[in-house]
Amino acid sequence: MPPELSIVVPMFNEQTNVEPFVAAVSAALVTAGIEHEIVLVDDGSSDGTWAAIVELARARPALRGISLSRNFGHQGALLAGLNHARGRAVITMDGDLQHPPETLPELVAAWRDGFKVVNTRRLDSEDTSFFKRLTSRGFYWLFSRLTGVTMEAGASDFRLLDRDAVEALIRLGDADPFIRGLVSWLGFQTKTIP
Ligand code: UDP
Ligand code: MG
């Protein structure tokens, strides 16, 4: 039986984050009673990331590790993880705890309400520089103008995809995808939460 939810996480030189990340994600999901697996993708790290994943997986059957043959970059690692995820819904998130695990139940709740894509949007904090805000907005504006694909400013790769959306994305067969843009292009009932 596939788990209800897969968490897919690209990891590049994150050896010190592996254990605290898994602990925080498991705690959030167990508290909310959400059945899950965690898929950690080692993207050709040069530190002890893979050793840390193997060590942790010994004691945790719901944890699976994937070791890529070289460094493919964030998007390539995400795609590898999506290909191996078995959940009826899949959440992608960064492995450095910059995407808050306590929001995971909120993404799942939106999916249970019927949304097939649940995006998150970064909230600019007071210490976000004027330069960062300007270049970020500029990027999304220009990207939309050039491609005709709309993406919200502050969009991130912290998102939930229903199994239908995962299969559609994989079927595109893009070996070097820009996942944020492709997910928007695919369509599906979408909700964005901050
Ligand atoms: N990452 C990866 N391969 C890379 C670079 C980054 O798998 O070549 C992972 C990284 O470990 C993290 C996520 O992708 O989990 C986002 O990377 P990073 O934190 O460097 O990006 P930023 O926070 O600047 O958006
Ligand atoms: Mg980061």
Side-chain angles (χ1 to χ4, degrees):
M1 269 289 279
E4 182 177 36
L5 177 69
S6 299
I7 306 288
V8 164
V9 193
M11 293 260 180
F12 180 63
N13 294 344
E14 303 280 8
Q15 65 174 11
T16 56
N17 285 325
V18 172
E19 200 278 326
F21 173 85
V22 170
V25 167
S26 302
L29 294 174
V30 168
T31 305
I34 299 167
E35 188 222 345
H36 64 279
E37 64 171 4
I38 300 177
V39 180
L40 300 182
V41 182
D42 176 24
D43 186 20
S45 297
S46 54
D47 68 352
T49 296
W50 181 242
I53 292 171
V54 169
E55 176 61 29
L56 207 58
R58 257 191 256 281
R60 291 178 176 265
L63 180 62
R64 292 198 295 139
I66 293 164
S67 174
L68 301 189
S69 55
R70 64 165 170 87
N71 177 251
F72 283 87
H74 183 206
Q75 301 290 296
L78 280 175
L79 183 66
L82 288 171
N83 271 285
H84 284 84
R86 298 177 291 201
R88 293 196 294 280
V90 181
I91 292 177
T92 54
M93 68 192 293
D94 288 356
D96 55 7
L97 288 164
Q98 288 181 336
H99 296 151
E102 60 275 15
T103 28
L104 290 170
E106 211 182 323
L107 273 75
V108 173
W111 171 64
R112 287 176 177 159
D113 283 346
F115 291 97
K116 297 217 169 193
V117 175
V118 186
N119 285 322
T120 67
R121 182 168 46 81
R122 189 186 66 242
L123 290 176
D124 286 334
S125 58
E126 297 205 339
D127 52 355
T128 306
S129 70
F130 174 72
F131 182 73
K132 168 85 184 170
R133 283 172 213 233
L134 195 72
T135 50
S136 176
R137 283 202 196 156
F139 169 77
Y140 287 108
W141 178 82
L142 190 64
F143 181 91
S144 298
R145 288 296 297 267
L146 291 174
T147 64
V149 171
T150 344
M151 282 188 308
E152 261 187 90
S156 77
D157 283 312
F158 179 24
R159 81 163 58 73
L160 181 148
L161 297 174
D162 178 82
R163 171 61 38 200
D164 287 348
V166 173
E167 298 298 330
L169 181 64
I170 289 171
R171 223 175 296 134
L172 294 176
D174 189 339
D176 188 13
F178 180 52
I179 294 174
R180 236 171 278 184
L182 291 178
V183 168
S184 167
W185 179 82
L186 284 174
F188 290 111
Q189 277 280 89
T190 301
K191 181 178 182 174
T192 300
I193 63 178

